[in-house]
Amino acid sequence: MESSKSPPSANVFGGFWGFLRRCLFYVLTLGPMPTHVAFIMDGNRRFTRIRKMETGAGHRAGLTSLMSALQYCYEMGITYVTVYAFSIDNFRRKPEEVEHVMNLMLEKLENLLEEESLVTKYGVRVNFWGNLRMLSEPVRLAIEKAMAATSANTGPVLSVCVAYTSTAEITHAVEESCRERLKAVQEGRSSVATLSVKDVERSLYTAGCPDPDVVIRTSGETRLSNFLLWQTSITHLQNPSVLWPGFSIRHLVWSILEYQRAQPYLEKRKRFNF
Amino acid sequence: MEPPEAALVPFPPGLTPELMPRHVAFIMDGNSRWAKERGLPTSAGHEAGYRSLREIVRLSSYWGIKVLTVFAFSSENWLRPKTEVDFLMRLFEGVIRENLEDFKRQGIRLCIIGDATKLPPSLQKLAMEAAEVTRENAVIELLVAVSYSGRSDIVQACQKIAQRVKDGTLEPADITEAVIEEELVTNCIINSPYPDLLIRTSGELRLSNFLLWQSAYSELYFSKSLWPDFGEAEYVDALSSFQQRQRRFGLRT
């Protein structure tokens, strides 16, 4: 696979563009910035069809788009980024497509930790959230290796939802909190009836991570498709019509501006959690 | 089964009967802002909101929608000023009493969902009676979420499941999504437990802890109208938007 776009600073124009971009981001950061942005990266296959590309090219283009989006987020100082890479429902797609996505993921995981990579440059800690046992062994091992290698990083956090649905995550959390509560009841420390929201939250994959401030779903669809349902109660939802591979810096800047516009009202409602 | 007057109300042009959502949910936001814009007290906003709800229920039953779930009062709303909260509790009671006869005539099956323990005892009692009296009605199911929170819904399901585990009737390893779904408060719904379409009024783009589990695959529609202004025209727009969407549930079209 070609490496991600050559670093912008590789040539004079790249350097100038990088400078302009940093100025733009500086201005943006004068307003309230989201701490956590989540992406539902929808539209890869439609991109392939519309551009009459070969099967799977849309996903590859989507991956390039993701790397750029991450770079811009980190340059803007956004500390948490979460992406919906592969839902449990997606396993029901054609086997060739599933295999292609898995191979792409494997490829990316293998060069994740290289010197020139984003992860190394920004000290990103990478999480993978989902039912990882549903993945093939090579992919699962590569994921575990990536998580272990970056677990001590103190930079921004990238969470990739793979083999994930929110209802599966919540079910897993319910099972965990039931087991813990049962143990506490048997030891006489507690009763079942005092099981609370916090008990369930502790067992979610997202424990310790702040709720997303914004969820951006590309390709114009307006639904969550079983993504972070628990965590997006007061999250600002956006659905730009651009397909994911076309999601560029101007779309991201626009999203941030939209968030900043809604922010004063959001803050006020947060006090009432409504 | 349709209400007797349905034949007299034309189906909106531009909408396809076969593509109507079976279950529509509403976050009825904007009553306070509506009142403020008109220099009226908040209570006037809530009363106007009630009239809007009546109209939506009427239209939904004519157009073949089988379930309506409306977010009347969230757990977080208990933090609002006491006068407003008391007014709302009285409004809910008054509304149920006033409409009990109508529910029977229009075939509406009423169910109040949420944490009933926080409601005034008279409202709790009335809610139970209304549910009982309307149990056999079959035109449309109307769920009114009062003192409801999506997260608390899941936690109360979790508590019931933990009790079953403690009683030995369920193994932790057997806890599946289906087990949780059985215990959610929306299990009183007979048809289509999950909303196909979730509409939030007043332009806010978030779900505010409503039907969190149940709306995993719901099409979301955000209307800029304030709830008291949401009428037939706005409803048709929302339904039209729904009918044009392609729902894939994670698969390819």
Side-chain angles (χ1 to χ4, degrees):
Chain A
M1 166 185 139
E2 89 246 15
S3 59
S4 44
K5 287 198 276 247
S6 46
S9 50
N11 54 47
V12 172
F13 294 109
F16 183 60
W17 162 235
F19 171 71
L20 272 185
R21 197 170 70 234
R22 276 190 293 280
C23 289
L24 171 63
F25 290 166
Y26 173 72
V27 169
L28 261 189
T29 55
L30 293 175
M33 290 295 285
T35 309
H36 183 173
V37 175
F39 292 100
I40 300 178
M41 307 184 291
D42 198 7
N44 291 344
R45 291 172 307 163
R46 259 165 290 171
F47 190 81
T48 308
R49 273 205 301 279
I50 289 170
R51 303 241 172 151
K52 300 187 171 47
M53 295 161 96
E54 58 178 44
T55 318
H59 287 303
R60 208 168 268 286
L63 185 55
T64 309
S65 214
L66 171 59
M67 291 299 117
S68 305
L70 287 178
Q71 162 114 17
Y72 302 142
C73 284
Y74 298 149
E75 284 182 7
M76 279 192 256
I78 292 171
T79 0
Y80 292 87
V81 179
T82 302
V83 299
Y84 200 6
F86 198 84
S87 152
I88 292 178
D89 300 319
N90 296 156
F91 278 113
R92 293 182 292 154
R93 289 182 179 175
K94 289 201 189 117
E96 312 86 73
E97 187 184 339
V98 176
E99 198 184 324
H100 179 82
V101 173
M102 292 296 139
N103 288 340
L104 199 58
M105 222 184 311
L106 202 53
E107 217 178 283
K108 192 63 201 167
L109 285 167
E110 276 158 12
N111 60 36
L112 197 69
L113 304 169
E114 282 165 14
E115 219 174 275
E116 297 255 314
S117 77
L118 261 178
V119 166
T120 310
K121 185 174 164 195
Y122 289 96
V124 179
R125 180 157 56 92
V126 187
N127 294 321
F128 284 85
W129 293 336
N131 187 354
L132 303 181
R133 287 169 308 180
M134 293 179 82
L135 301 168
S136 66
E137 203 176 324
V139 178
R140 194 167 30 87
L141 289 175
I143 282 176
E144 283 166 7
K145 183 173 157 198
M147 287 204 286
T150 60
S151 62
N153 287 358
T154 52
V157 179
L158 169 63
S159 305
V160 182
C161 292
V162 65
Y164 174 92
T165 58
S166 190
T167 46
E169 179 189 13
I170 295 171
T171 307
H172 169 259
V174 165
E175 191 191 328
E176 283 290 305
S177 39
C178 275
R179 278 188 209 271
E180 271 175 29
R181 184 50 53 123
L182 195 63
K183 193 154 167 259
V185 166
Q186 284 165 351
E187 290 168 4
R189 285 186 281 123
S190 169
S191 85
V192 152
T194 52
L195 212 157
S196 69
V197 162
K198 293 234 177 314
D199 293 314
V200 174
E201 277 181 342
R202 262 204 300 271
S203 304
L204 293 170
Y205 302 135
T206 53
C209 182
D211 290 343
D213 298 295
V214 193
V215 165
I216 301 168
R217 183 182 184 136
T218 51
S219 86
E221 303 292 352
T222 328
R223 51 180 184 265
L224 285 175
S225 295
N226 216 335
F227 180 58
L228 299 181
L229 302 170
W230 179 282
Q231 298 86 343
T232 50
S233 175
I234 47 175
T235 301
H236 193 243
L237 306 173
Q238 298 180 5
N239 64 329
S241 52
V242 63
L243 303 176
W244 177 251
F247 188 83
S248 66
I249 186 171
R250 67 181 174 92
H251 298 105
L252 182 60
V253 168
W254 185 252
S255 286
I256 304 290
L257 288 172
E258 285 285 292
Y259 168 77
Q260 290 182 337
R261 221 157 48 104
Q263 222 272 345
Y265 188 77
L266 285 174
E267 267 310 304
K268 211 166 79 173
R269 301 318 295 178
K270 255 186 198 166
R271 282 190 287 121
F272 294 111
N273 194 17
F274 190 72
Chain B
M1 188 184 150
E2 282 174 340
E5 305 94 11
L8 305 171
V9 177
F11 197 82
L15 289 185
T16 312
E18 298 76 40
L19 296 178
M20 287 299 266
R22 286 176 308 265
H23 179 168
V24 181
F26 282 94
I27 299 177
M28 307 185 290
D29 198 10
N31 292 345
S32 311
R33 253 168 294 172
W34 184 92
K36 198 166 166 196
E37 272 175 14
R38 286 156 180 73
L40 297 169
T42 319
S43 51
H46 291 308
E47 276 165 350
Y50 159 58
R51 288 192 291 275
S52 205
L53 175 59
R54 275 186 72 144
E55 179 63 2
I56 294 301
V57 172
R58 190 181 73 95
L59 293 171
S60 303
S61 63
Y62 293 162
W63 295 341
I65 291 165
K66 299 308 294 173
V67 189
L68 268 189
T69 306
V70 299
F71 204 5
F73 194 87
S74 81
S75 318
E76 290 83 15
N77 290 156
W78 289 110
L79 298 170
R80 288 193 176 177
K82 189 170 185 307
T83 41
E84 187 181 347
V85 170
D86 289 344
F87 173 80
L88 282 168
M89 292 300 129
R90 284 195 305 274
L91 179 66
F92 295 150
E93 229 178 294
V95 157
I96 297 176
R97 254 185 242 289
E98 194 182 296
N99 287 286
L100 219 41
E101 273 308 305
D102 267 355
F103 288 157
K104 190 168 174 181
R105 194 173 51 79
Q106 292 171 28
I108 298 173
R109 184 174 187 261
L110 181 71
C111 195
I112 310 287
I113 58 171
D115 181 5
T117 60
K118 287 179 146 180
L119 302 177
S122 52
L123 179 54
Q124 285 185 43
K125 186 157 170 282
L126 182 62
M128 273 180 11
E129 274 170 25
E132 194 50 49
V133 156
T134 59
R135 188 183 296 281
E136 303 303 320
N137 296 348
V139 172
I140 187 169
E141 297 180 66
L142 173 61
L143 270 76
V144 183
V146 181
S147 186
Y148 178 88
S149 128
R151 288 181 184 175
S152 303
D153 192 1
I154 293 172
V155 168
Q156 67 82 35
C158 188
Q159 286 173 348
K160 290 203 195 111
I161 291 169
Q163 188 64 48
R164 282 164 67 181
V165 170
K166 177 165 173 272
D167 294 340
T169 54
L170 181 70
E171 290 296 314
D174 294 334
I175 298 172
T176 60
E177 293 186 26
V179 168
I180 295 179
E181 278 157 14
E182 267 167 31
E183 303 289 2
L184 295 172
V185 294
T186 44
N187 60 9
C188 57
I189 301 178
I190 300 176
N191 299 295
S192 302
Y194 299 150
D196 299 297
L197 173 62
L198 193 156
I199 299 174
R200 181 180 186 141
T201 52
S202 88
E204 295 304 321
L205 304 175
R206 60 187 179 279
L207 297 178
S208 298
N209 213 348
F210 182 52
L211 293 185
L212 177 153
W213 176 287
Q214 298 88 335
S215 61
Y217 299 100
S218 306
E219 293 294 329
L220 310 174
Y221 182 86
F222 297 104
S223 168
K224 289 200 169 55
S225 308
L226 302 175
W227 176 247
D229 293 329
F230 191 88
E232 184 171 347
E234 290 76 17
Y235 201 11
V236 169
D237 281 343
L239 292 168
S240 179
S241 168
F242 172 81
Q243 294 199 342
Q244 283 161 34
R245 296 187 190 184
Q246 292 190 318
R247 305 182 74 193
R248 296 186 295 276
F249 301 98
L251 298 166
R252 178 187 270 277
T253 26

